[in-house]
Amino acid sequence: MRIHTCPTLAWMVFLVFCASAFAATPSLKDAYKADFLIGSALGSPSSYTPAELKLITTQFDAATPEVCMKPRPIHPQEDVWRFRQADEYVDFCQKHNIAAFGHTLVWHEDCPDWLFKDGDKPASRDLVLKRLKNHITTILHRYKGRIHGWDVVNEAISDNPKEFFRQTKWLKSIGDDYVLQAFRFAQEADPAMPLQYNDYNIESEPKRSKVIKLIRELQQNGIHVAAVGIQGHWSLDHVPYADIDAAIDAFSKLGVKVMITELDLDVLPRKRSGADVASRERESRNVQPAPCPPEVLRRQAEQYGRLFALFLKHRDVITRVTFWGIDDAHTWLNGWPYPRYNHPLLFDREGKPKPAFYSVIDAAHTPQRVGVFLPP
Ligand code: GLA
């Protein structure tokens, strides 16, 4: 039997096929252009494949250096500076119209020991302050006019409800005013530079109130704090939407902007539990390569969508939302708390958009969803 196909219909089918085959993936940065920057943590630009570079330049209009500007890699010894990768990062961002952010001038991790030593003895407060000033001033002057905002201090607030600051070598060597001193040196080095305080779990108590106290103290001491960075390393099914909502309101009342600086949605269990065999067995899932189950992808998409609806509600205060990595092949959660195969971001290991990507794009185009995300 011969089948007669209408030529017009055949053309239409062909055109629809072509349109879907070649339809451009929507762009996050375009979808949120009117709202806030969309960023990603970047490794060395020369380490990415052409496809990864295309993903970065088409999807993101902000970036944070994952490692190269942290104290140890950039300043491993008192007289040794390693600027090559940081220079490459800033050049790359400038070339592709990506707003380059600086991360981070002071942190307790990735921080070289020489800062706190004087020969075999602990260095005096004055010596550590002198080194801190030199560290901050040198970096800020080098990148003046090319960085859109600096995380001056990262993770200074203690997780312990009974203490204010985390116990670090900075605190031990300088004392309670070390955060203030760091902001002061940064403000003196480049008065026009937007200065940020960055930390995790600060959307929730007890850390939220401590951050509010810290920002107030900085402001009372003449520091212009531009923004508070909520890192946003959240876990599937445990996103603290109501806390995030309240924290953004509370921080904005201080007259600062809010940035979501290290967003990811971990899909694997986190706790390591010594003797509990059942949960250890659960936790060891995914040490072998394994695709993410569709049900998990669906929940992740829904939760990312709700998060972005919440961010849109605060679009007057939020200036940037940055993911901690470009895709599931480039995420610290493949190595923490131990090597395994995680799926926390919007693009899979091949850089293909996941359901969560479309959900985030969708949230940008359906503002009527804003306001319906909070639990009853
Ligand atoms: C913290 C730091 C980041 C990064 C992540 C995990 O959140 O601020 O620079 O190191 O941990 O990799």
Side-chain angles (χ1 to χ4, degrees):
M1 187 176 72
R2 272 190 79 185
I3 298 176
H4 293 275
T5 329
C6 160
T8 321
L9 182 66
W11 265 109
M12 279 171 68
V13 170
F14 178 70
L15 288 176
V16 168
F17 168 77
C18 288
S20 59
F22 297 107
T25 306
S27 156
L28 294 166
K29 67 177 179 181
D30 291 345
Y32 285 90
K33 197 151 229 68
D35 306 307
F36 33 72
L37 295 169
I38 299 283
S40 172
L42 295 187
S44 167
S46 58
S47 69
Y48 291 114
T49 65
E52 288 163 352
L53 288 172
K54 183 164 175 234
L55 189 149
I56 294 165
T57 53
T58 53
Q59 294 295 334
F60 303 107
D61 52 10
T64 305
E66 191 167 2
V67 176
C68 65
M69 284 179 160
K70 287 174 175 166
R72 192 200 313 274
I74 205 165
H75 196 181
Q77 291 162 43
E78 185 143 27
D79 302 321
V80 179
W81 291 90
R82 299 241 158 85
F83 289 122
R84 195 180 54 77
Q85 287 195 15
D87 290 354
E88 204 192 330
Y89 158 77
V90 175
D91 290 346
F92 174 83
C93 291
Q94 210 160 9
K95 182 169 164 207
H96 295 285
N97 279 325
I98 293 173
F101 285 80
H103 171 81
T104 172
L105 296 168
V106 175
W107 194 27
H108 60 286
E109 285 186 33
D110 247 347
C111 182
D113 255 3
W114 65 262
L115 281 158
F116 312 103
K117 282 191 180 152
D118 187 1
D120 293 339
K121 292 187 301 225
S124 66
R125 167 181 156 95
D126 283 352
L127 181 56
V128 180
L129 277 173
K130 195 172 138 226
R131 287 168 173 169
L132 177 64
K133 181 173 185 177
N134 179 44
H135 178 79
I136 290 177
T137 310
T138 306
I139 296 175
L140 260 69
H141 284 176
R142 185 173 182 97
Y143 298 109
K144 196 165 183 161
R146 305 180 75 201
I147 295 284
H148 288 245
W150 265 102
D151 289 336
V152 180
V153 179
N154 193 33
E155 303 179 346
I157 298 292
S158 174
D159 294 319
N160 179 348
K162 295 200 185 101
E163 66 188 10
F164 191 80
F165 283 125
R166 179 191 297 279
Q167 297 301 313
T168 67
K169 290 184 180 167
W170 290 111
L171 183 70
K172 206 167 159 208
S173 313
I174 298 177
D176 268 0
D177 61 337
Y178 88 89
V179 175
L180 170 62
Q181 298 290 357
F183 273 86
R184 212 171 247 161
F185 295 146
Q187 190 160 285
E188 279 166 17
D190 186 355
M193 173 57 59
L195 306 179
Q196 301 147 198
Y197 176 74
N198 194 53
D199 211 330
Y200 65 85
N201 289 357
I202 56 171
E203 61 278 7
S204 305
E205 296 297 1
K207 290 176 85 174
R208 187 201 303 164
S209 295
K210 292 195 251 181
V211 169
I212 291 171
K213 186 165 183 282
L214 176 65
I215 301 300
R216 281 212 184 101
E217 278 173 15
L218 291 171
Q219 291 172 330
Q220 281 155 10
N221 280 282
I223 303 295
H224 178 72
V225 181
V228 169
I230 299 175
Q231 290 187 359
H233 293 294
W234 290 307
S235 283
L236 194 69
D237 301 332
H238 299 283
V239 180
Y241 299 105
D243 281 1
I244 300 166
D245 191 32
I248 296 170
D249 275 339
F251 295 151
S252 74
K253 289 198 180 105
L254 298 165
V256 302
K257 297 293 185 190
V258 173
M259 297 173 173
I260 309 298
T261 51
E262 306 187 13
L263 180 59
D264 43 31
L265 214 41
D266 191 343
V267 302
L268 298 176
R270 278 200 179 168
K271 274 196 199 120
R272 308 199 79 171
S273 32
D276 176 352
V277 176
S279 62
R280 273 175 63 192
E281 197 272 323
R282 263 202 316 279
E283 284 167 24
S284 66
R285 276 184 320 178
N286 279 48
V287 290
Q288 300 298 329
C292 192
E295 167 52 21
V296 173
L297 289 175
R298 191 196 61 72
R299 295 212 310 282
Q300 187 184 47
E302 191 261 335
Q303 291 169 36
Y304 261 122
R306 287 175 75 185
L307 264 176
F308 273 77
L310 173 52
F311 299 156
L312 279 172
K313 178 186 165 196
H314 294 285
R315 62 203 281 275
D316 55 330
V317 180
I318 293 183
T319 52
R320 168 170 67 103
V321 177
T322 291
F323 293 88
W324 204 247
I326 59 167
D327 61 26
D328 288 345
H330 299 83
T331 162
W332 71 295
L333 293 170
N334 288 331
W336 184 90
Y338 51 89
R340 54 190 187 165
Y341 286 78
N342 216 324
H343 311 272
L345 295 168
L346 300 190
F347 298 92
D348 68 15
R349 282 189 159 60
E350 276 83 51
K352 297 208 180 71
K354 293 161 59 180
F357 169 82
Y358 291 104
S359 172
V360 169
I361 292 285
D362 203 31
H365 295 135
T366 49
Q368 68 273 18
R369 285 175 54 185
V370 174
V372 297
F373 48 83
L374 286 176

